[in-house]
Amino acid sequence: MAVKTLVLGFDGADHRFIGEMIGEGELPNLAALRARLTPFEVENDPGQGNVQFWTSAAIGAGPATHAHYFYMQFDPRTYDILLSHDMALPKTTPFWASLDAEGKRIAVVDWYEMPLTPIKNGVLVHRWLAHEPLTQSVYMPEAMRGVTARYAADNPIAEGFASRPRDTVEDMQDFLTRTLSRIEPKTRFFVDQMHNEHWDLYVACMSEAHNIGHYYMEVEDETHSRHDASIAAEVQAPLRQCYRALDEAVGKIVAAAGNEAEIFVFGGPAMGKFISANSALEEIARRVDLGFGAPLSGAETAKQAYRSFIPESLRRRIGPFARAIRKRFANRDYLRRRFFAVPHNDNAGAIRINLEGREKYGTVSGGNDYDALVSEITEGVSSFINPDTGRSIVGRVIDVRKEFAGPNREMLPDIFIEWDRTDTHGDFTRLVSEKFGEVTLPRHARTGDHTSFGFFWAPPGATAPARPEDVTAPILASVRR
């Protein structure tokens, strides 16, 4: 059998690191692919993270159309923070569903945060061996559940690493081994599927670079503030181990697709050091909104009590429950506020303005008042300095109404705040503002986080994509030819 168009997806992969390894004579299969294709760097939309990157690429439109900016989102009707699959997000059509409706035979496996549009002429597998699944796996048709179980019955890292101890070399080696163990059975599944059937489109995605990049950056990167040479000597080059295993998988998958397959490679956003003020943004927003001397919010009081009285070992087990309780406190605070922080990917904070006529209990009018408040928020947050660099913690402020256009823009936060990561060797620990005081940040489990860049390798003649949403058109054209 054969594949007409093959898309290889590498969630969280870093094209610059891949290029570095290729330059050192490693990754022969990826090197061969890059040589026959045209490589492009893809810059993400301003202030956006991994969820939006892959969603925009899936539907060929930006965040102001699909409104899927993070896996947790703010509901203006209730002021709740909901998991994205519980939100009433706009209905969108991923490119593979359009092809399915045309009668094309398609398969899509573990595209990150994929829109779950039903298909009739192929196979869709979601969250089988993916990045820290939040929900149960989805199989279309349901019979694929049994098929995938023959290769890997369970996800060996389904519980994620943030909820586990990572205090010893043994802890870190164990998670690394289990993460990399997913690549071989998934590769066998892809190869067998391609050998057994003809496919107009086969989308084969891997997420291991995402997991390893989040949790092992300080091991791989000697300039990281948390680098420990003794651990690095034992847990040797985890990112390189990951990319070598992915490269071996690429060789087998490309061979199985056949010589006539037209191939695309899509990956990212890449990984760099974890540097984020998101965990402090709600407290910063409260001070900018209400003043430095204002009483703590209910959510912040609950958070401080939680950290003071609950042992860290227990926090790992009850984390989701505790976050749900804090959200309930936050909801009550939001009703009276002019603006507040909402969850977002750690590369950028997100602020929602409590706007009259949009939020149920809006307190801010539009027009000049709205514009003035955006300026006030920008100035206030930018006043916080990272004492380690002497610079503002803010790299760039994105006013969504000025940067984005689309029918569902009002479902996005109103402001994204990209953190300054320039020449910084580790995460923020203390933030200081002359006007709003000092804020301390907890130590994060993750040491790596997404950058603003991904990559797209396409057959010669393809147009350079400006944003992730631009990769859709050449894939569709390939399948339809």
Side-chain angles (χ1 to χ4, degrees):
M1 299 297 178
V3 177
K4 182 178 181 181
T5 301
L6 171 65
V7 178
L8 296 171
F10 297 104
D11 173 23
D14 187 335
H15 67 294
R16 296 179 185 179
F17 192 67
I18 290 172
E20 179 183 321
M21 292 187 69
I22 289 174
E24 294 168 353
E26 297 204 63
L27 312 184
N29 297 303
L30 284 166
L33 262 187
R34 193 177 71 166
R36 68 187 267 197
L37 302 174
T38 303
F40 300 106
E41 183 174 73
V42 181
E43 185 173 7
N44 206 358
D45 288 285
Q48 301 306 294
N50 202 44
V51 171
Q52 173 275 332
F53 183 84
W54 286 84
T55 304
S56 294
I59 71 165
T65 296
H66 58 71
H68 193 190
Y69 62 89
F70 194 49
Y71 78 90
M72 292 189 293
Q73 303 206 189
F74 173 77
D75 185 344
R77 300 167 303 175
T78 63
Y79 290 70
D80 283 332
I81 302 296
L82 302 175
L83 291 174
S84 57
H85 59 263
D86 292 328
M87 280 284 291
L89 291 173
K91 291 185 178 180
T92 56
T93 303
F95 65 84
W96 54 82
S98 298
L99 295 168
D100 175 74
E102 296 168 12
K104 306 295 187 184
R105 180 71 173 157
I106 65 146
V108 183
V109 181
D110 279 348
W111 184 280
Y112 187 73
E113 290 292 321
M114 71 169 76
L116 292 175
T117 305
I119 60 172
K120 298 178 181 179
N121 298 301
V123 168
L124 187 148
V125 177
H126 180 48
R127 292 194 180 279
W128 171 35
L129 299 176
H131 169 65
E132 296 195 33
L134 297 169
T135 59
Q136 295 298 313
S137 301
V138 175
Y139 299 91
M140 299 179 191
E142 178 62 24
M144 289 304 300
R145 185 182 300 273
V147 175
T148 58
R150 296 202 296 266
Y151 297 85
D154 300 302
N155 186 347
I157 61 167
E159 83 289 352
F161 196 25
S163 61
R164 292 173 51 81
R166 56 187 312 240
D167 304 322
T168 68
V169 167
E170 290 73 21
D171 293 336
M172 300 189 74
Q173 188 62 59
D174 173 67
F175 189 78
L176 174 64
T177 299
R178 289 191 289 124
T179 300
L180 298 184
S181 74
R182 309 187 314 170
I183 297 174
E184 189 276 333
K186 201 173 198 180
T187 302
R188 282 192 289 110
F189 170 80
F190 290 146
V191 168
D192 289 349
Q193 288 279 295
M194 293 177 194
H195 281 162
N196 293 336
E197 297 187 55
H198 168 79
W199 303 95
D200 294 301
L201 169 71
Y202 202 104
V203 181
C205 300
M206 301 276 200
S207 293
E208 286 67 31
H210 191 159
N211 290 283
I212 303 302
H214 270 321
Y215 296 115
Y216 292 84
M217 189 60 65
E218 86 285 12
V219 179
E220 191 84 29
D221 185 351
E222 294 180 0
T223 70
H224 199 291
S225 62
R226 286 168 60 178
H227 180 75
D228 185 323
S230 63
I231 292 177
E234 295 289 334
V235 186
Q236 294 186 2
L239 286 171
R240 289 176 179 270
Q241 289 187 53
C242 178
Y243 284 101
R244 290 177 191 131
L246 291 173
D247 182 76
E248 184 177 345
V250 165
K252 295 174 181 177
I253 296 167
V254 169
N259 295 330
E260 300 302 316
E262 192 161 54
I263 301 175
F264 297 83
V265 184
F266 181 61
M271 289 287 185
K273 295 182 180 72
F274 184 106
I275 299 166
S276 177
N278 278 18
S279 62
L281 185 56
E282 175 49 32
E283 175 57 16
I284 291 172
R286 184 189 68 83
R287 295 185 189 188
V288 175
D289 185 15
L290 304 176
F292 178 40
L296 289 178
S297 67
E300 191 63 26
T301 301
K303 183 191 293 186
Q304 291 191 7
Y306 175 70
R307 289 177 180 160
S308 298
F309 299 111
I310 305 298
E312 186 174 356
S313 58
L314 182 57
R315 284 184 229 161
R316 292 188 179 113
R317 294 198 293 271
I318 67 171
F321 173 74
R323 284 191 291 272
I325 295 297
R326 289 203 301 272
K327 287 172 195 169
R328 290 295 180 188
F329 281 111
N331 290 354
R332 298 171 191 169
D333 295 325
Y334 291 166
L335 305 184
R336 300 181 293 274
R337 294 273 296 278
R338 293 183 298 161
F339 58 90
F340 39 82
V342 293
H344 189 48
N345 193 87
D346 287 299
N347 67 302
I351 296 285
R352 182 81 177 187
I353 292 175
N354 198 12
L355 188 64
E356 290 178 355
R358 184 184 65 181
E359 269 67 27
K360 186 175 182 179
Y361 302 102
T363 61
V364 177
S365 60
N368 292 337
D369 287 348
Y370 180 96
D371 293 338
L373 185 55
V374 170
S375 297
E376 180 185 341
I377 294 167
T378 299
E379 181 180 343
V381 179
S382 298
S383 74
F384 281 86
I385 302 299
N386 176 10
D388 293 336
T389 65
R391 297 193 307 267
S392 170
I393 62 173
V394 175
R396 177 171 59 156
V397 175
I398 294 99
D399 182 342
V400 167
R401 291 192 171 187
K402 294 178 179 178
E403 292 282 351
F404 295 100
N408 298 301
R409 184 178 62 190
E410 295 302 312
M411 295 184 71
L412 301 175
D414 295 295
I415 300 172
F416 290 106
I417 303 166
E418 293 182 347
W419 306 118
D420 175 31
R421 293 175 166 181
T422 308
D423 300 325
T424 305
H425 297 297
D427 195 16
F428 300 134
T429 57
R430 188 168 64 93
L431 313 176
V432 179
S433 166
E434 289 187 5
K435 184 175 182 180
F436 298 109
E438 180 176 317
V439 178
T440 57
L441 289 81
R443 181 182 173 107
H444 293 98
R446 292 177 173 179
T447 58
D449 188 50
H450 298 286
T451 73
S452 298
F453 295 94
F455 64 98
F456 184 57
W457 299 353
T463 302
R467 298 294 187 195
E469 48 266 38
D470 299 328
V471 310
T472 310
I475 297 173
L476 284 169
S478 172
V479 180
R480 286 170 173 161
R481 272 196 290 270

